[in-house]
């Protein structure tokens, strides 16, 4: 029988055929980027801080002595701010005392939900490609990871066949919307069908909505707002993406009290609590004027377009994202079918690094996405402009 770490590594595609432990593709590409002094558009983190006013609030909290444990479920002010945010933007009514907990980033919220509600004999369904933490955490839980494909060019599931991905053992379906790594946003018809099937098969819905405010046109629709969804949906988000403070690791989970209590039971034995001086600052951030959120998205859309133009100049087919800060490029337009091999060459070839999409898939999905590369555009505009210039030289250097 495999140990928990082996299941975790296998779920994250880190185990070699001989059972040896490998490094993540992120570590591999980052090492290559550093070696060749390449612009690293592989890892998805901003290269500039978020609002200075929030940084000052965190500094003041540290200086005033707010440096000990926060309550296990988070300080009340932040739980209240999360509830206010959900009501202000989506009309979702939450009790901050029983229906919201604060977590060490969204990843801990995901871990708490998956470990609390699934285990051996259960199936957890995700859409594919999938964020690698899902596979790792499902593996750790002992559940079986099943997938439903997202199909190019729109990266949406085939609604006529989606039910085939569900079954009597489907205990949970994880919905990442807006979706990493494809940048797609699920329209209401897709989300409604997911809710129908989760209800039919009595599955909990866990939604990863960390990119909720990083959207470019379509309106973000939380699953919990759809008819019949609220009583079976745990909603997860975080401050990292919205406010560009990924290192603060402040996330939250909300939903019906009994599901939140189950996740909280596990969460208290993961980190218990964290980020005390940051929690009040994020509470203030969530209460910022709506203009902050729309302006941040507009700036990001401009960055997307700069990088998209560079990728097209390189000869790629480009799938413009509707949300997140990732853009996908198809190498097959250039006669290249192995994006992973190209990703390993790009840092030296043109001084730009990207992540191959097949690493976010099981073997069948990896074959379906083998010509796709993911680039992050959450970087400063001059850096993206330099990356675009370098990308434009790719064809002559191949």
């Amino acid at each position: 029988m495999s140990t928990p770490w082996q299941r975790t590594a296998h779920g994250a595609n880190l185990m070699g055929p001989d059972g040896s432990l490998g490094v993540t593709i992120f570590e591999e590409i980052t090492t290559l980027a550093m070696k060749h002094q390449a612009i690293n558009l592989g890892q998805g983190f901003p290269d500039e801080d978020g609002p200075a006013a929030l940084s000052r609030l965190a500094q003041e909290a540290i200086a005033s002595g707010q440096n000990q444990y926060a309550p296990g479920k988070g300080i009340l002010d932040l739980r209240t701010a999360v509830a206010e945010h959900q009501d202000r933007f989506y009309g979702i009514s939450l009790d901050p005392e029983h229906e919201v907990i604060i977590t060490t980033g969204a990843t801990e919220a995901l871990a708490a939900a998956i470990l609390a509600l699934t285990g051996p004999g259960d199936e957890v369904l995700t859409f594919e490609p999938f964020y690698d933490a899902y596979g790792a955490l499902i593996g750790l839980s002992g559940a079986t990871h099943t997938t439903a494909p997202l199909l190019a060019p729109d990266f949406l599931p085939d609604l006529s066949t989606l039910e085939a991905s569900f079954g009597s053992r489907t205990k949970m379906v994880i919905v990442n919307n807006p979706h990493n790594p494809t940048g797609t946003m699920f329209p209401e018809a897709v989300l409604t069908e997911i809710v129908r099937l989760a209800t039919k098969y009595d599955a909990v819905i866990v939604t990863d909505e960390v990119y909720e405010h990083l959207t470019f046109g379509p309106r973000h629709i939380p699953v919990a707002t759809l008819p019949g969804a609220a009583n079976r949906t745990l909603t997860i988000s975080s401050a990292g993406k919205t406010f560009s403070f990924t290192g603060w690791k402040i996330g939250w989970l909300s939903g019906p009290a009994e599901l939140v209590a189950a996740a909280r039971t596990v969460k208290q034995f993961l980190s218990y609590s964290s980020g005390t001086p940051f929690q009040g600052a994020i509470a203030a951030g969530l209460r910022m004027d709506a203009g902050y959120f729309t302006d941040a998205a507009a700036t990001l859309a401009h960055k997307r377009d700069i990088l998209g133009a560079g990728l097209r100049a390189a000869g790629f087919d480009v799938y413009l994202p509707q949300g997140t800060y990732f853009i996908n490029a198809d190498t097959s337009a250039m006669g290249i079918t192995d994006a992973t091999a190209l990703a390993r060459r790009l840092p030296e070839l043109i001084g730009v690094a990207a992540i191959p999409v097949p690493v976010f898939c099981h073997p069948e999905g990896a074959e379906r996405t083998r010509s796709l590369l993911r680039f992050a555009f959450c970087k400063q505009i001059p850096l993206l402009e330099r990356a675009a210039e370098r990308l434009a030289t790719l064809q002559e250097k191949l």
Side-chain angles (χ1 to χ4, degrees):
M1 179 179 292
S2 61
T3 61
W5 79 262
Q6 289 171 318
R7 295 198 305 270
T8 302
H10 180 74
N13 293 330
L14 291 182
M15 295 294 280
D18 61 352
S20 62
L21 181 63
V23 299
T24 69
I25 191 71
F26 300 96
E27 183 177 346
E28 181 183 352
I29 295 299
T30 296
T31 300
L32 288 170
M34 292 175 64
K35 177 181 177 181
H36 299 290
Q37 298 184 314
I39 296 171
N40 191 351
L41 304 184
Q43 288 188 286
F45 59 86
D47 62 354
E48 54 188 328
D49 281 345
L54 303 190
S55 294
R56 285 194 296 272
L57 287 173
Q59 292 165 6
E60 291 166 5
I62 292 170
S64 67
Q66 297 178 44
N67 301 304
Q68 308 307 322
Y69 293 128
K73 57 187 176 182
I75 65 171
L76 178 59
D77 187 44
L78 180 52
R79 285 183 278 125
T80 301
V82 170
E84 292 169 355
H85 170 276
Q86 294 302 93
D87 185 40
R88 173 164 67 130
F89 285 96
Y90 311 122
I92 297 173
S93 179
L94 294 169
D95 172 8
E97 193 60 45
H98 301 289
E99 296 179 329
V100 180
I101 58 173
I102 306 307
T103 58
T104 306
T107 303
E108 188 190 40
L110 287 161
I114 292 168
L115 295 174
L117 300 171
T118 71
D122 297 328
E123 292 181 355
V124 180
L125 174 63
T126 73
F127 293 89
E128 188 177 45
F130 52 84
Y131 176 49
D132 56 353
Y134 303 159
L137 294 169
I138 295 165
L140 179 59
S141 78
T144 298
H145 184 185
T146 60
T147 61
L150 299 179
L151 306 172
D154 296 324
F155 296 108
L156 294 174
D158 181 352
L159 294 188
S160 67
T161 62
L162 182 57
E163 185 163 2
S165 301
F166 285 76
S168 60
R169 295 198 301 153
T170 304
K171 189 69 175 289
M172 177 183 289
V173 55
I174 299 176
V175 182
N176 179 201
N177 185 44
H179 183 265
N180 171 23
T182 68
T184 196
M185 292 181 65
F186 293 172
E188 188 169 354
V190 170
L191 297 175
T192 298
E193 179 65 1
I194 293 169
V195 173
R196 183 187 76 81
L197 292 170
T199 302
K200 178 177 178 178
Y201 291 94
D202 195 25
V204 172
I205 303 169
V206 172
T207 68
D208 177 352
E209 303 184 14
V210 296
Y211 299 100
E212 60 185 311
H213 290 295
L214 309 185
T215 64
F216 318 121
R219 179 176 62 93
H220 173 62
I221 304 172
V223 173
T225 63
L226 299 177
N231 66 344
R232 66 175 63 250
T233 300
L234 285 173
T235 301
I236 293 169
S237 194
S238 78
K241 308 301 189 294
T242 298
F243 299 111
S244 295
F245 288 123
T246 59
W248 289 14
K249 295 298 290 181
I250 301 296
W252 47 87
L253 176 150
S254 63
E258 65 274 14
L259 294 181
V260 170
R264 186 177 69 242
T265 301
V266 171
K267 179 261 186 299
Q268 67 184 344
F269 298 108
L270 296 175
S271 67
Y272 178 65
S273 74
S274 61
T276 301
F278 303 122
Q279 291 193 28
I282 296 305
L286 289 173
R287 294 180 174 120
M288 289 171 70
D289 184 82
Y292 165 78
F293 301 93
T294 54
D295 289 349
T299 299
L300 204 56
H302 178 52
K303 295 179 176 182
R304 174 199 65 174
D305 293 342
I306 291 171
L307 185 56
L311 291 168
R312 280 189 291 271
F316 295 116
D317 279 341
V318 177
Y319 299 108
L320 279 183
Q322 298 174 311
T324 79
Y325 44 51
F326 299 110
I327 188 168
N328 282 258
D330 194 337
T331 66
S332 61
M334 305 166 67
I336 299 171
T337 56
D338 188 345
T340 303
L342 181 60
R344 291 183 169 118
R345 295 180 62 198
L346 282 178
E348 181 176 12
L349 202 61
I350 59 168
V352 176
I355 295 294
V357 173
V359 302
F360 300 102
C361 300
H362 289 158
E364 183 179 341
E367 185 62 30
R368 189 174 55 248
T369 60
R370 69 190 310 264
S371 64
L372 297 182
L373 287 172
R374 189 197 75 172
F375 295 80
F377 53 89
C378 49
K379 310 296 180 182
Q380 296 182 57
I381 287 175
L383 188 75
L384 292 172
E385 290 174 338
R386 289 202 302 276
E389 290 170 1
R390 294 181 183 185
L391 284 162
T393 68
L394 178 59
Q395 295 216 48
E396 66 189 56
K397 293 186 176 180
L398 282 172

